[in-house]
């Protein structure tokens, strides 16, 4: 990989993982449009590790509190934090199952620029509609078991390129009456086990390949994606309540329209 490719792909992963604009779509596009070679499984693991560390470090206090509360719940002590921890686990299960049974089909049939263009537009419009119509009166501690399952089912759809994991989970959260900031926080916390599962699965594939890797490329990729992701999380949570989802919806519509124009040209 060239230095330019490392920088571009790492920053794309870091900045788009937690914004409602689809990181998978943006990582596929360079190869589709610029003709770049696939970055490989090892690099995928490295940049996902960077974004994982970013969200864990940013939410380190919440993660610690949730872990303690979850272990306490195993002994029968329940509170708001333990319930939220359980909802994160419950919300992760649909994506894990869907990924296990449908990943090969998605890789074979849905990793195309046409699919990305369609899902980018459709789910962008859905996000805009929900953001305008939702009541936005709850926080993440008011979620119920059925709410967690609903958001988890929505998260499973994010395996389709262009959907956006953060975008679809925030959309589902807003549908349930969460505020924008609460929907974003739950989405970010929900990303932790999903990124671990996805990265672990990818790492197994990388190890099975038994290929030689360039560790400096992986190191640069991990660091760059970490910095970009941390900045992104910080900025997004500070401005989302006032700014709303409209700027990201507009971006998705322009991206989708641009892709269609490019494909038809």
């Amino acid at each position: 990989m060239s230095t330019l490719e490392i920088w571009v792909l790492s920053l794309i992963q870091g900045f788009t993982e937690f914004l409602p604009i689809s990181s998978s779509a943006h990582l596929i596009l360079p190869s589709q449009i610029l003709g770049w070679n696939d970055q490989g499984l090892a690099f995928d693991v490295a940049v996902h590790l960077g974004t994982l560390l970013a969200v864990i470090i940013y939410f380190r206090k919440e993660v610690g509190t949730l872990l303690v509360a979850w272990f306490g719940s195993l002994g029968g002590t329940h509170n708001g934090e333990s319930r939220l921890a359980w909802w994160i686990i419950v919300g992760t299960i649909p994506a894990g199952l869907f990924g296990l049974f449908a990943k090969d089909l998605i890789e074979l049939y849905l990793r195309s620029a046409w699919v990305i263009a369609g899902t980018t537009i459709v789910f962008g419009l859905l996000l805009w509609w929900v953001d305008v119509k939702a009541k936005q009166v709850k926080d993440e501690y008011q979620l119920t078991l059925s709410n967690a399952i609903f958001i988890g089912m929505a998260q499973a759809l994010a395996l389709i390129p262009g959907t956006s994991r953060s975008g679809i989970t925030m959309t589902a959260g807003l549908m349930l009456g969460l505020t924008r900031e609460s929907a974003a926080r739950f989405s970010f916390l929900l990303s932790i086990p999903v990124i671990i599962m996805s990265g672990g699965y990818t790492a197994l594939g990388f190890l099975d390949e038994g290929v030689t890797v360039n560790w400096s490329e992986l190191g640069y990729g991990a660091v760059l994606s970490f910095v970009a992701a941390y900045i992104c999380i910080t900025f997004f949570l500070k401005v989302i309540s006032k700014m709303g989802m409209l700027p990201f919806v507009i971006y998705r519509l322009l991206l989708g329209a641009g892709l269609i124009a490019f494909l038809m040209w």
Side-chain angles (χ1 to χ4, degrees):
M1 293 177 64
S2 68
T3 302
L4 175 62
E5 289 176 274
I6 293 172
W7 273 82
V8 170
L9 294 175
S10 301
L11 293 178
I12 284 176
Q13 171 64 28
F15 281 123
T16 62
E17 177 67 34
F18 300 108
L19 294 179
I21 56 176
S22 181
S23 62
S24 61
H26 285 76
L27 287 172
I28 291 171
L29 290 177
S31 62
Q32 295 274 336
I33 296 176
L34 302 176
W36 289 357
N37 293 326
D38 186 271
Q39 61 267 27
L41 294 176
F43 191 80
D44 280 347
V45 172
V47 294
H48 277 86
L49 176 61
T51 55
L52 175 63
L53 291 175
V55 70
I56 289 177
I57 291 175
Y58 186 89
F59 289 103
R60 57 192 178 278
K61 293 182 180 179
E62 290 88 345
V63 170
T65 301
L66 292 173
L67 284 174
V68 170
W70 183 79
F71 280 112
S73 72
L74 298 179
T77 303
H78 294 280
N79 54 31
E81 283 76 17
S82 67
R83 283 190 292 274
L84 182 58
W86 276 109
W87 301 160
I88 291 172
I89 294 172
V90 169
T92 302
I93 294 173
L97 293 176
F98 190 57
L100 181 64
F101 293 108
K103 191 174 190 299
D104 290 341
L105 292 175
I106 291 171
E107 292 285 338
L108 184 62
Y109 296 110
L110 298 180
R111 288 178 68 87
S112 74
W114 278 109
V115 171
I116 292 171
T119 53
T120 296
I121 292 172
V122 170
F123 288 108
L125 290 172
L126 179 61
L127 176 61
W128 168 77
W129 183 80
V130 172
D131 189 47
V132 172
K133 298 295 184 179
K135 294 181 179 180
Q136 301 186 30
V137 293
K138 299 179 182 177
D139 64 29
E140 62 270 31
Y141 291 96
Q142 295 174 275
L143 291 172
T144 64
L145 174 60
S146 61
N147 294 158
I149 294 173
F150 178 73
I151 296 176
M153 295 295 291
Q155 180 171 241
L157 292 176
L159 290 170
I160 303 172
T163 302
S164 173
R165 191 212 61 82
S166 60
I168 197 66
T169 52
M170 289 182 205
T171 299
L174 290 170
M175 285 181 177
L176 296 171
L178 292 180
T179 64
R180 292 171 181 146
E181 189 174 351
S182 296
R185 282 198 304 267
F186 187 73
S187 173
F188 294 162
L189 290 171
L190 194 61
S191 74
I192 295 174
V194 168
I195 295 175
I196 291 174
M197 287 194 309
S198 174
Y201 180 85
T202 306
L204 288 176
F206 153 59
L207 293 174
D208 287 342
E209 284 186 349
V211 297
T212 302
V213 299
N214 186 321
W215 292 104
S216 62
E217 288 183 357
L218 304 189
Y220 286 132
V223 171
L224 288 170
S225 63
F226 166 81
V227 173
Y230 195 90
I231 292 172
C232 175
I233 295 170
T234 303
F235 169 79
F236 189 82
L237 288 176
K238 285 184 177 180
V239 303
I240 191 58
S241 293
K242 295 180 179 179
M243 182 174 65
M245 299 294 182
L246 184 58
F248 304 103
V249 172
I250 293 173
Y251 175 81
R252 291 182 68 125
L253 296 180
L254 292 175
L255 176 62
L259 276 174
I260 292 173
F262 174 82
L263 293 169
M264 296 180 66
W265 181 57

